[in-house]
Amino acid sequence: MKLLKKYIEKDRSGSVRLIPEDSEDMWHIYNLVLKGDKIKASTIRGFKSESSTGSVTSDRVRVMLTIQVEDVFFDVQVGILHLNGKNCEQNNYVGQYHTLDLELNQPFTIEKNEWDFVSLNRITEACDINKKADVAAVVMQEGLANLCLLTQHMTIVKQRIQVPIPRKRMGSSTQHDKGLTNFFDKTYTAILSHVDFSAVKAIVIASPGFLREEFWDFLISKAIKTDEKKIMENKSKFIQIHTSSGHKHSLDEVMRDPTIIAKLANTKSAMEVLTLDKFYKMMNTDPDRAVYGYKHVAKAAEMGAIGTLLIADKLFRADQVAKRKQYVKLVEQLSKSRGKVVIFSSLHVTGEQLNQLTGIAAILNYPLPDLDSDYSSADE
């Protein structure tokens, strides 16, 4: 993401002009844009005109629009952000309401009545090119493979490969071998289609049993036969990891593998994995130092007991403004007191797990055994 201009008033109102450069940037923008914000961007509109002779012609023109956002939808698979809202400026080509699609490499301006602490930090993070690191992963079992891209903030299933493979029969495995070869071939093609070898730090092949080793042999053999340089020049990036299945949820096992953690050292995704692991371990070994749910966490914050706050980004997109502000206030309070804050992406495997614990949790500096008696439930 490129920051072109930032103008914030003392009352925190103001505008920021940005250029999104990839789907990861679109995810950041999705988290920035809230109902009531104003977005200014160019878009293509079609129109018809009638000549003096009565003939009708169709044409397309690029126009600059400003809308006040009412709905936001992020299409994860294609990385497009759809914004729907009321047109704020008179325009001959659009009506009162309009849907605006933010495009890659096209500048836009976002104006807010209040830029909160979390939003400003997100812009700083999104514009720091050194914080980007990606992993491609193929989690597979016989006849099923999920090709995924794991960025700092998202887990995207780019392709799901399913191929029926006949069972081995006594004395003959011809049909089984043909099915397996077909399955491997489709998975190989998917890797070449969806993996940017120049960007990823690691390419994981994960499976139960010995399937990953069989696929690795197939992949290298075919790359040699076809002189596929992208594979051969990036052999060192491939890592084989054991998982319990070929389903998407097995990515959790991938992200916890020490080899992957080492590859992604000092990146946000690795920090999320390690922090969530630490929280779960604390729940098992010293449960009075691990709390979740807004009421418990807020009470612990009042007492100055929080060492690390774990919070899911979806909470900052809450429909109720008051609810959003209470989470932002909590993060700002802890950041100023030098507490550690880890914001988890809801589209990342670790964020999905944290959302199952209400989306907010904390590791405490010291035990607070009386919190459970203060609140009967850990609701948000």
Side-chain angles (χ1 to χ4, degrees):
M1 185 109 74
K2 287 182 181 177
L3 175 63
L4 300 180
K5 185 179 180 181
K6 182 169 75 172
Y7 182 76
I8 309 296
E9 298 277 7
K10 289 183 179 179
D11 63 357
R12 290 192 173 186
S13 65
S15 62
V16 173
R17 190 161 178 77
L18 300 162
I19 296 181
E21 297 176 301
D22 54 36
S23 59
E24 187 91 350
D25 292 340
M26 286 299 188
W27 171 246
H28 283 297
I29 296 166
Y30 172 60
N31 281 279
L32 284 172
V33 178
L34 299 172
K35 184 177 180 180
D37 293 346
K38 290 182 179 179
I39 300 293
K40 184 175 183 178
S42 65
T43 185
I44 300 292
R45 294 293 292 166
F47 70 96
K48 294 181 179 180
S49 58
E50 185 175 343
S51 69
S52 57
T53 60
S55 61
V56 178
T57 58
S58 299
D59 207 349
R60 292 168 66 82
V61 62
R62 183 171 286 276
V63 296
M64 187 64 70
L65 291 179
T66 302
I67 65 169
Q68 186 165 31
V69 177
E70 294 189 358
D71 293 300
V72 183
F73 173 72
F74 180 50
D75 190 328
V76 178
Q77 294 301 319
V78 295
I80 293 178
L81 196 65
H82 306 282
L83 308 174
N84 184 51
K86 189 174 182 180
N87 187 19
C88 298
E89 298 175 358
Q90 186 174 354
N91 193 296
N92 295 328
Y93 299 103
V94 297
Q96 187 177 6
Y97 286 87
H98 184 69
T99 298
L100 187 64
D101 291 343
L102 295 187
E103 305 173 40
L104 290 178
N105 302 310
Q106 290 293 328
F108 75 97
T109 300
I110 174 171
E111 181 182 337
K112 289 178 175 285
N113 291 327
E114 181 183 358
W115 283 90
D116 60 47
F117 178 82
V118 171
S119 295
L120 291 174
N121 275 4
R122 182 173 285 277
I123 288 177
T124 301
E125 178 183 325
C127 294
D128 184 354
I129 194 169
N130 294 318
K131 290 190 175 181
K132 294 197 173 184
D134 297 327
V135 171
V138 181
V139 284
M140 61 191 339
Q141 61 191 51
E142 200 164 278
L144 171 68
N146 283 284
L147 174 60
C148 308
L149 296 182
L150 292 82
T151 70
Q152 294 181 58
H153 303 92
M154 294 188 290
T155 302
I156 306 169
V157 179
K158 296 299 293 184
Q159 188 171 339
R160 181 181 173 90
I161 301 107
Q162 281 188 289
V163 175
I165 300 178
R167 291 183 179 180
K168 285 186 178 180
R169 294 186 177 181
M170 291 289 291
S172 175
S173 60
T174 304
Q175 294 304 313
H176 174 272
D177 291 346
K178 284 183 178 179
L180 191 62
T181 299
N182 185 29
F183 171 56
F184 284 168
D185 192 61
K186 289 182 183 298
T187 306
Y188 175 90
T189 302
I191 291 173
L192 290 179
S193 299
H194 297 294
V195 176
D196 183 351
F197 289 86
S198 64
V200 297
K201 281 195 168 185
I203 306 158
V204 175
I205 302 173
S207 77
F210 299 102
L211 189 66
R212 61 189 178 278
E213 296 171 9
E214 293 178 51
F215 177 66
W216 171 250
D217 291 340
F218 173 90
L219 181 130
I220 293 300
S221 176
K222 181 157 184 176
I224 292 171
K225 288 178 182 177
T226 58
D227 193 27
E228 182 52 70
K229 293 181 180 178
K230 284 194 292 187
I231 298 287
M232 301 310 296
E233 291 174 357
N234 291 277
K235 282 175 62 177
S236 61
K237 291 184 178 181
F238 282 88
I239 302 170
Q240 296 181 47
I241 293 175
H242 172 81
T243 53
S244 56
S245 78
H247 295 281
K248 181 191 171 186
H249 62 76
S250 293
L251 288 171
D252 181 48
E253 300 169 54
V254 171
M255 293 304 293
R256 278 171 168 70
D257 188 275
T259 310
I260 291 298
I261 292 174
K263 282 275 186 182
L264 298 180
N266 302 319
T267 66
K268 187 176 185 295
S269 53
M271 186 196 307
E272 290 179 11
V273 171
L274 294 172
T275 304
L276 194 61
D277 274 350
K278 184 178 178 182
F279 175 79
Y280 283 133
K281 288 175 183 175
M282 191 68 74
M283 285 188 74
N284 291 327
T285 59
D286 194 355
D288 290 335
R289 287 184 58 197
V291 298
Y292 64 92
Y294 176 74
K295 289 183 178 179
H296 286 79
V297 172
K299 184 65 176 178
E302 283 179 23
M303 302 172 71
I306 294 180
T308 302
L309 175 70
L310 298 75
I311 186 165
D313 56 15
K314 77 165 190 175
L315 299 181
F316 304 118
R317 298 193 304 274
D319 290 335
Q320 298 176 17
V321 176
K323 205 163 192 177
R324 285 204 308 264
K325 286 188 173 181
Q326 73 182 16
Y327 294 121
V328 171
K329 183 179 178 181
L330 188 59
V331 170
E332 189 170 7
Q333 174 188 338
L334 282 167
S335 297
K336 287 181 177 178
S337 63
R338 296 186 178 181
K340 184 178 179 182
V341 177
V342 182
I343 299 177
F344 287 69
S345 168
S346 298
L347 281 187
H348 199 273
V349 285
T350 51
E352 291 174 0
Q353 288 186 310
L354 183 59
N355 282 330
Q356 293 174 7
L357 292 173
T358 75
I360 186 167
I363 300 169
L364 308 184
N365 290 321
Y366 51 85
L368 290 177
D370 298 329
L371 275 184
D372 282 332
S373 60
D374 292 338
Y375 300 108
S376 58
S377 64
D379 58 316
E380 296 180 29

